[in-house]
Amino acid sequence: MTILCVRFQLPPTREAALPRLLVMLEEFTPVVEALPPDGALVDLRGAERYFGRGVVELASVIRVRALAHHGVDCVIGAGPGPMLARMALREAARGSVRVVPGDPGSVREFLADQPVAALPGVGAATARTLGEYGLDTVGKVAAAPLSTLQRLTTARAGRELQEKASGIDRGRVVPNAASRSLATERPFSRDELDPDLHRRALLSATEELGTRLRSLEQVCRTLTLTVRYADRSATVRSRTLEEPTAHSPALTSAAYRMYEALGLQRARVRAMALRAEGLTPAELASHQLTFDPVDEKVRRVEEAADRARARFGAHVIVPGTLAA
């Protein structure tokens, strides 16, 4: 048992705390995979030997440190692989650790009565198809002939489905350190219906992200938008940018397009958050040159504004919409 799946109980206004929490996890092991907006996978194989403690003990220490240093509670699932750790997390009570022992018998017992939709990668359509043939639990899928599963899905999907149902977990934790993302959020003082105020919040967030990226001499490849609603539900959308950038207008344009694609009508929004992901050094990024003098002028103005902000403070220069 070596893998933890951790979900931090972050309120809407604390999503930007995730990078700091990931740094805390990296004190135990460098093999940490961020699962935005509020989780992470942690491979503790080396940590068990180094600290001389079991996974359950280390999970308890992680929870205590998250509470003591960051004021954030968490739930943790533990298992011999990422798939089982994720599934264990679903059964973990608030502030607890749910453990799936690593021996084959315990794994089969844990999986047997799980609904087939609980398997990662099994969507609603596949679960419905399997259910029509009586394969509504993971145990029944594991006992089904491979040929039957392949006939109901595809050759590859059927083989992967049987492996997962049998507890064979080929997943691994892929480190994507906290430093590879920057986040900011804009909570509203009340549940906000006005689309103009939603767009102002996005503009403010992209201006901040652009300024921070440029100060770190980084560019981002992906922008992720999280919209949290009054009923505590959330929508998450990601967009890969046409080119890695730290240019605020480019980030704003991408954020607006994601927001408009949601088609929110009279939605009561509690908070909006943006995360810049896939950070790389700006010196390694390419920029498509254009013959548009306006774009070049905007970039020169942006450089001058950054110098002013560095000298006089972040709020000395802001877009006119925000100044109003």
Side-chain angles (χ1 to χ4, degrees):
M1 187 191 324
T2 57
I3 308 298
L4 299 183
C5 186
V6 184
R7 177 174 296 156
F8 297 103
Q9 306 294 311
L10 292 175
T13 58
R14 293 288 304 281
E15 185 179 339
L18 181 61
R20 295 192 294 274
L21 292 164
L22 296 179
V23 171
M24 182 269 293
L25 294 176
E26 288 174 348
E27 296 174 2
F28 296 86
T29 172
V31 190
V32 176
E33 179 178 351
L35 300 176
D38 57 5
L41 284 172
V42 185
D43 189 334
L44 291 179
R45 280 177 294 187
E48 289 179 280
R49 294 190 295 269
Y50 182 82
F51 292 104
R53 295 172 179 263
V55 169
V56 176
E57 291 180 280
L58 290 173
S60 299
V61 174
I62 287 172
R63 179 170 174 258
V64 169
R65 286 197 181 183
L67 276 169
H69 297 170
H70 303 278
V72 176
D73 202 353
C74 62
V75 292
I76 300 176
M83 179 190 78
L84 291 164
R86 288 172 184 260
M87 294 178 71
L89 178 68
R90 294 193 185 99
E91 296 191 352
R94 184 181 179 89
S96 67
V97 181
R98 174 67 167 95
V99 178
V100 179
D103 61 281
S106 297
V107 170
R108 285 194 298 271
E109 182 180 353
F110 170 75
L111 291 174
D113 295 325
Q114 295 280 340
V116 68
L119 286 175
V122 177
T126 301
R128 185 166 54 251
T129 299
L130 294 170
E132 290 173 353
Y133 288 85
L135 303 176
D136 56 348
T137 66
V138 176
K140 293 177 181 178
V141 171
L146 175 59
S147 59
T148 299
L149 298 177
Q150 291 178 324
R151 187 166 59 251
L152 295 176
T153 55
T154 64
R156 179 178 178 181
R159 184 169 58 252
E160 292 179 350
L161 183 59
Q162 189 179 65
E163 285 186 352
K164 290 177 179 179
S166 301
I168 299 174
D169 190 351
R170 300 189 185 278
R172 62 190 183 94
V173 180
V174 181
N176 57 351
S179 60
R180 298 195 61 187
S181 69
L182 291 176
T184 185
E185 58 264 306
R186 293 296 182 271
F188 295 104
S189 57
R190 61 182 182 182
D191 298 334
E192 189 55 65
L193 294 166
D194 189 347
D196 290 336
L197 293 182
H198 296 168
R199 291 171 66 89
R200 284 187 62 185
L202 290 176
L203 175 60
S204 172
T206 53
E207 284 291 321
E208 179 188 330
L209 283 180
T211 302
R212 290 168 63 188
L213 286 167
R214 294 190 296 275
S215 69
L216 296 171
E217 298 183 351
Q218 300 274 307
V219 294
C220 71
R221 294 180 179 275
T222 304
L223 198 63
T224 297
L225 167 66
T226 303
V227 181
R228 300 187 184 277
Y229 306 105
D231 62 358
R232 300 185 182 275
S233 64
T235 302
V236 181
R237 292 290 184 270
S238 293
R239 182 179 291 267
T240 300
L241 305 175
E242 294 180 358
E243 63 181 28
T245 187
H247 190 35
S248 292
L251 298 175
T252 302
S253 177
Y256 282 172
R257 289 198 299 271
M258 284 190 288
Y259 170 76
E260 290 163 2
L262 294 177
L264 301 181
Q265 296 181 352
R266 305 294 295 172
R268 298 167 60 203
V269 176
R270 181 160 294 178
M272 308 183 83
L274 281 175
R275 174 177 286 102
E277 299 175 303
L279 305 192
T280 56
E283 61 183 14
L284 301 180
S286 59
H287 168 54
Q288 178 64 50
L289 298 177
T290 70
F291 293 102
D292 182 2
V294 175
D295 181 70
E296 294 304 317
K297 181 179 180 181
V298 170
R299 290 178 184 270
R300 289 197 298 271
V301 170
E302 192 173 65
E303 292 174 1
D306 286 343
R307 290 194 294 270
R309 292 187 187 106
R311 183 173 182 181
F312 299 108
H315 302 292
V316 68
I317 298 179
V318 296
T321 301
L322 301 180

